[in-house]
Amino acid sequence: MRAFALTVLALVFLDELAAMAAFGVWGWQVGGDLRWLLAVLAPLGAMLTWFFLASPKARYGGGLVRPVAKVIVFGLASVALWSVGEHGWAAALLVGSVVVNTLAQTPPVLRVLRELETQDARRTT
């Protein structure tokens, strides 16, 4: 079960990277003369949102905030892809995000995640 849990956690990370890439694609496609700027700022805004609200160590990510932030980030990433005509990628990102984040809430994955957090806490003390 540990291999399953670690695989799911790796897929969650790849899913997060895919969402950031989606914002970059959107910025590039709609940015016009400012495409470089928007292709950088859109993912950066999503990363900051993730860092402060959705990551495991998010400063403001307690209670209901974390899952709502995740829904917003992945939802907007999918909408961004859809809006630039990447319908297949948008659907794949949305479905993949729902599946992998649902799997991440299963007991075996949560158990391994707690073990990893405990190991990390021991190393920092």
Side-chain angles (χ1 to χ4, degrees), residues 3-78:
F4 168 76
L6 293 174
T7 300
V8 169
L9 292 174
L11 290 173
V12 167
F13 179 66
L14 291 175
D15 189 39
E16 294 163 6
L17 292 178
M20 298 310 127
F23 286 112
V25 167
W26 175 83
W28 184 261
Q29 293 293 328
V30 302
D33 291 339
L34 300 174
R35 67 177 37 184
W36 285 102
L37 185 62
L38 200 51
V40 170
L41 290 181
L44 183 61
M47 284 180 222
L48 289 173
T49 300
W50 197 269
F51 177 76
F52 286 112
L53 301 175
S55 72
K57 296 181 181 181
R59 180 176 292 178
Y60 307 107
L64 189 60
V65 173
R66 179 174 291 141
V68 169
K70 286 182 177 188
V71 167
I72 289 170
V73 169
F74 287 121
L76 286 177
S78 298

